[in-house]
């Protein structure tokens, strides 16, 4: 194969694609940094100086900090739980022998295709019954472990943890749980980190269920953003200032962990 | 190498005697099988405990709600718990409900408009990324940027870009001498706008998945094609594309399951926000929006459950068809 460096025919379209990808972020900041009326009168291409004023309006109109805190609590709890419980189940499926292992694993994989989002009506009724409606627990508990997480960890553990190591730990008198803790977990850190990043992002961006399960006084950040838009007069500068504020933390995470996220998607694609 | 018959460690090593706990120097005083018995119980039951959380949680928050949705759909269940059993009446009403069919058509229209261009562009971008680029990871990250934006943020931004009076896209259309488009009011244009949001978020993500599959294609297949005199284009269409088929179908299945449940984009595309009408004449109301409106807007939980189940059957049917196609294509591609 020729390894010659590609020319403009390759870089040109890629640059165009990335500009198109980044533009809406810039647009949100552009509109968010101007006065709404002023922006409508003449459309500037450079950011204005009104961002802090808009940001203050956002803080007045919605419970921004509370929503941010709620999102952190929900996503943090869900991430820790998914990583621990999924790797525990993945360890059992990959390394332990027990009756029914094959069929049970097939069942886990099959549930990946089940759109559980369609069960939200009884789920809401159940939450209301338990008095959980409006509480963060209603958003946390249904996401404590995922089929994707179990499957992902199983695939990785099957390769990354040698059978001999598990047997040796057993020989030395480790219980299965401490074998998981001392032998399996240290070996699967990269996959666990990846699963953690994805779980956090998914949970952070979740909208439909938090919208139904939480009320307006106790929202996650996504539900709070939606609220900015309600009402008869919609101030676009306000909405997009709020959107920018909520996006900045995610962009920082992306800049720091982007390499891992990319690797994770590509690895998942080959294995899945 | 000299021959060494003793095996110190690894496969074939002589089993070591079980180690005693620290300070245990008793000789046969404690029941020697106790420890063994515990370890035996551990080996027998612990695996089930480890996998139990998934099955318990899936049953409680996934399977049971889905089945219970089917049960509720047989009742005239409004808010409160005094539902009256009505059999299949909700389904009969649903099948004769023009608004439901409108929502079904909208869902499929938006789904097709978003997934077809998305997959084509994703394959092309993947092909560009599969060249000997400088700073590979940076390009991959750039392509993935939209994927990290929250759906809500992105929909709010696009709602602004597609604004009728002050939206940038209409300004540009006018600048090149075209008419301004009423993106929210006109049915097909509203579908185009919503499909654009879906494409914008997912194309880069799917490009990376396709890229991973491209890199898994063995090099000697290409080398053989080069020897046979195939040019770049010919190699792409005759080697790369056919070998990507399973991956492309995987992408189609995952985007089908997600795409048919599209909710956030049409909900927030409404200029006023906060209602699930999908436009003044429901021109971009999807099935999920209709379910949300019936269930949490009008509190007709029985009827909304019937909507959910019809959508569920449609999704499973389409995923099943895709799956069978995958198997057929995959098996015919073997030889």
């Amino acid at each position: 194969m020729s390894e010659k460096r590609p020319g403009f025919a390759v870089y040109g379209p890629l640059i165009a694609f990335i500009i198109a990808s980044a533009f809406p972020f810039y647009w949100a900041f552009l509109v968010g940094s101007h006065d709404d009326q002023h922006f409508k009168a003449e459309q500037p291409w450079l950011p204005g100086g009104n961002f802090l004023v808009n940001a203050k309006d956002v803080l007045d109109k919605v419970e921004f900090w509370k929503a941010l805190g709620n999102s952190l609590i929900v996503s943090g709890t869900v991430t820790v739980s998914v990583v621990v419980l999924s790797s525990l189940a993945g360890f059992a499926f990959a390394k332990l022998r027990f009756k029914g292992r094959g069929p049970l694993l097939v069942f886990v994989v099959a549930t990946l295709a089940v759109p559980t989002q369609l069960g939200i009506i009884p789920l809401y009724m159940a939450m209301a019954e338990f008095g959980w409606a409006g509480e963060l627990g209603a958003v946390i508990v249904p996401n404590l472990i995922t089929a994707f997480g179990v499957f992902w960890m199983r695939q990785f553990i099957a390769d990354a943890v040698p059978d001999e190591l598990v047997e040796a730990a057993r020989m030395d008198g480790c219980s299965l749980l401490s074998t998981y803790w001392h032998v399996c977990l240290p070996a699967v850190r990269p996959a666990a980190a990846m699963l953690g990043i994805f779980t956090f992002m998914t949970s952070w961006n979740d909208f439909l269920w938090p919208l139904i399960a939480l009320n307006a006084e106790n929202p996650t950040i996504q539900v709070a953003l939606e609220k900015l838009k309600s009402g008869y007069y919609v101030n676009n500068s306000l909405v997009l200032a709020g959107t920018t504020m909520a996006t900045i933390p995610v962009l920082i995470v992306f800049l720091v962990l982007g390499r891992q996220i990319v690797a994770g998607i590509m690895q998942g694609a080959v294995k899945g | 190498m000299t021959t060494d018959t003793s095996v110190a460690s690894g496969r074939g090593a002589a089993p070591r005697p079980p180690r005693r706990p620290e300070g245990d120097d008793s000789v046969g005083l404690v029941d020697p099988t106790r420890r063994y018995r515990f370890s035996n119980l551990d080996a027998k039951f612990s695996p089930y405990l480890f996998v139990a959380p998934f099955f318990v949680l899936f049953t409680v928050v996934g399977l049971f709600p889905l089945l219970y949705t089917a049960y509720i759909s047989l009742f005239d269940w409004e808010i409160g718990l005094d539902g009256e059993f009505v059999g299949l009446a909700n389904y009969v009403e649903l099948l004769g409900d023009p608004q439901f069919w409108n929502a079904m058509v909208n869902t499929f229209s938006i789904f097709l408009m978003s997934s077809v261009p998305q997959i084509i562009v994703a394959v092309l971008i993947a092909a560009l990324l599969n060249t000997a680029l400088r700073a590979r990871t940076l390009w991959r990250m750039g392509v993935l940027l939209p994927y990290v934006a929250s759906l809500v943020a992105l929909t709010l931004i696009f709602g602004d870009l597609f604004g009728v009076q002050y939206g940038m896209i209409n300004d540009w259309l006018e600048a090149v001498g075209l008419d301004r488009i009423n993106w929210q009011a006109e049915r097909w244009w509203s579908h185009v706008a919503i499909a654009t949001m879906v494409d914008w978020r997912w194309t880069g993500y799917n490009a990376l998945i396709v890229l991973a599959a491209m890199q898994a294609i063995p090099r000697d297949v290409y080398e053989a094609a080069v020897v046979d005199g195939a040019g770049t284009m010919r190699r792409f269409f005759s080697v790369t594309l056919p070998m990507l088929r399973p991956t492309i179908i995987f992408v189609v299945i995952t985007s089908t399951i997600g795409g048919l449940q599209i909710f956030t984009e049409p909900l927030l595309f409404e200029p006023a926000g906060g209602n699930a009408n999908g436009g003044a004449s429901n021109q971009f109301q999807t099935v999920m929006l209709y379910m949300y409106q019936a269930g949490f807007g009008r509190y007709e939980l029985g009827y909304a459950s019937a909507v959910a189940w019809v959508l569920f059957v449609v999704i499973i049917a389409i995923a099943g068809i895709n799956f069978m196609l995958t198997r057929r294509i995959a098996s015919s591609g073997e030889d």
Side-chain angles (χ1 to χ4, degrees):
Chain A
M1 272 303 275
S2 58
E3 276 291 349
K4 77 173 184 225
R5 292 282 173 187
F8 184 74
V10 170
Y11 283 109
L14 277 180
I15 289 172
F17 187 83
I18 287 175
I19 289 177
S21 297
F23 180 75
F25 293 106
Y26 177 69
W27 179 261
F29 178 61
L30 184 72
V31 178
S33 65
H34 283 274
D35 174 57
D36 193 41
Q37 293 306 320
H38 180 251
F39 190 85
K40 283 172 179 170
E42 52 162 315
Q43 196 168 296
W45 285 103
L46 290 175
N50 217 37
F51 189 80
L52 291 179
V53 178
N54 288 333
K56 197 181 161 297
D57 285 353
V58 170
L59 299 183
D60 287 343
K61 195 170 177 188
V62 294
E63 302 257 24
F64 189 84
W65 296 118
K66 187 172 188 191
L68 206 63
N70 280 346
S71 279
L72 274 177
I73 293 171
V74 168
S75 304
T77 317
V78 166
T79 301
V80 171
S81 159
V82 165
V83 169
V84 171
L85 293 180
S86 298
S87 56
L88 193 58
F91 171 64
F93 278 126
K95 292 292 160 190
L96 306 179
R97 254 142 283 286
F98 53 98
K99 229 185 218 162
R101 179 172 80 155
L104 287 177
L105 184 62
V106 169
F107 184 81
V108 172
V109 175
T111 63
L112 282 170
V114 178
T116 47
Q117 192 170 343
L118 292 172
I120 52 177
I121 292 171
L123 199 55
Y124 176 76
M125 289 162 73
M127 292 298 172
E129 188 89 351
F130 294 137
W132 277 15
E135 304 289 330
L136 293 185
V139 183
I140 293 174
V141 170
N143 297 307
L144 286 176
I145 185 171
T146 62
F148 170 77
V150 175
F151 182 65
W152 170 268
M153 291 312 299
R154 193 213 84 96
Q155 297 296 87
F156 192 85
I157 292 169
D159 294 341
V161 182
D163 287 338
E164 287 84 355
L165 214 55
V166 177
E167 277 160 28
R170 298 287 291 148
M171 250 5 154
D172 286 353
C174 268
S175 71
L176 285 180
L177 194 61
S178 62
T179 307
Y180 159 76
W181 191 256
H182 294 295
V183 174
C184 176
L185 259 197
V188 298
R189 247 181 238 154
M194 213 85 87
L195 177 63
I197 296 171
F198 281 110
T199 306
F200 193 90
M201 279 169 46
T202 311
S203 174
W204 185 268
N205 289 334
D206 194 13
F207 177 64
L208 173 58
W209 177 241
L211 176 70
I212 291 168
L214 299 177
N215 49 42
E217 292 78 46
N218 193 29
T220 59
I221 192 76
Q222 311 300 339
V223 178
L225 280 184
E226 191 259 351
K227 208 186 145 205
L228 273 183
K229 212 191 168 192
S230 54
Y232 286 106
Y233 171 70
V234 179
N235 181 332
N236 279 332
S237 292
L238 187 72
V239 172
L240 292 191
T243 306
T244 306
M245 288 159 69
T247 306
I248 288 170
V250 188
L251 284 182
I252 292 173
V253 171
F254 182 66
L255 287 179
V256 176
L257 300 175
R259 180 183 293 267
Q260 275 80 2
I261 299 175
V262 167
I265 288 175
M266 295 194 49
Q267 190 190 20
V270 175
K271 294 208 163 185
Chain B
M1 287 227 96
T2 54
T3 46
D4 181 5
T5 46
S6 72
V7 182
S9 63
R11 241 183 251 271
R16 266 193 279 167
R19 193 187 281 173
R20 289 166 189 273
E22 294 289 322
D24 177 8
D25 48 12
S26 58
V27 184
L29 292 179
V30 187
D31 176 5
T33 60
R34 221 175 93 189
R35 200 191 160 82
Y36 172 73
R37 215 185 287 150
F38 168 74
S39 146
N40 203 20
L41 280 179
D42 183 33
K44 216 167 189 171
F45 294 107
S46 292
Y48 294 104
L49 288 180
F50 295 175
V51 301
F54 172 77
F55 291 95
V56 171
L57 199 72
F58 177 76
T59 308
V60 174
V61 305
L63 193 60
F64 173 74
L66 265 180
L67 297 177
Y68 204 65
T69 303
Y71 175 75
I72 300 173
S73 72
L74 304 177
F75 289 80
D76 185 13
W77 210 323
E78 309 220 346
I79 199 72
L81 294 174
D82 43 0
E84 184 193 333
F85 183 80
V86 292
L88 294 175
N90 281 326
Y91 290 93
V92 173
E93 193 185 335
L94 190 63
L95 296 180
D97 178 351
Q99 197 181 340
F100 170 72
W101 288 111
N102 170 62
M104 216 32 139
V105 171
N106 290 345
T107 304
F108 272 90
S109 160
I110 293 170
F111 167 64
L112 288 177
M113 275 190 205
S114 57
S115 55
V116 174
Q118 184 182 149
I119 286 164
I120 295 173
V121 176
V123 172
L124 292 177
I125 294 291
L128 295 178
L129 288 173
N130 200 24
T131 54
L133 290 171
R134 290 173 196 282
R136 256 172 230 199
T137 309
L138 276 186
W139 290 105
R140 290 177 188 171
M141 275 173 66
V143 161
L144 195 63
L145 187 61
Y147 172 68
V148 301
S150 88
L151 216 52
V152 176
L154 132 75
T155 312
L156 292 174
I157 296 170
F158 273 84
D160 188 87
L161 288 171
F162 281 109
V164 180
Q165 274 184 295
Y166 306 105
M168 186 205 73
I169 292 173
N170 268 349
D171 288 349
W172 283 13
L173 286 179
E174 207 171 47
V176 295
L178 296 171
D179 285 337
R180 300 179 84 85
I181 293 172
N182 196 335
W183 294 101
Q184 268 97 14
E186 290 178 41
R187 190 175 191 199
W188 301 111
W189 287 121
S190 68
H191 295 187
V192 171
I194 292 170
T196 307
M197 302 178 202
V198 178
D199 284 339
W200 190 79
R201 187 160 196 253
W202 291 103
T203 303
Y205 175 88
N206 284 325
L208 289 187
I209 289 185
V210 174
L211 174 63
M214 275 182 184
Q215 295 190 332
I217 298 176
R219 292 231 133 194
D220 44 355
V221 181
Y222 284 110
E223 276 155 21
V226 172
V227 170
D228 289 349
T232 314
M233 281 295 155
R234 186 67 207 273
R235 286 202 299 269
F236 180 73
F237 284 104
S238 301
V239 178
T240 312
L241 272 190
M243 298 200 78
L244 286 182
R245 242 184 318 190
T247 306
I248 290 176
I249 288 165
F250 167 78
V251 169
V252 170
I253 293 178
T254 51
S255 65
T256 305
I257 294 170
L260 294 182
Q261 297 179 76
I262 187 168
F263 173 78
T264 309
E265 293 93 336
L267 180 79
L268 296 176
F269 192 56
E270 187 92 23
N275 76 64
N277 285 329
S281 54
N282 310 120
Q283 64 271 26
F284 53 91
Q285 186 175 51
T286 59
V287 178
M288 272 312 269
L289 268 194
Y290 188 47
M291 188 201 97
Y292 179 81
Q293 186 179 42
F296 299 98
R298 299 198 305 262
Y299 297 109
E300 293 172 4
L301 295 179
Y303 197 65
S305 297
V307 175
W309 252 82
V310 173
L311 183 59
F312 177 68
V313 170
V314 169
I315 290 174
I316 293 297
I318 291 179
I321 292 170
N322 277 330
F323 180 68
M324 289 195 308
L325 281 176
T326 321
R327 282 179 56 149
R328 179 159 297 177
I329 291 169
S331 59
S332 69
E334 292 286 83
D335 44 50

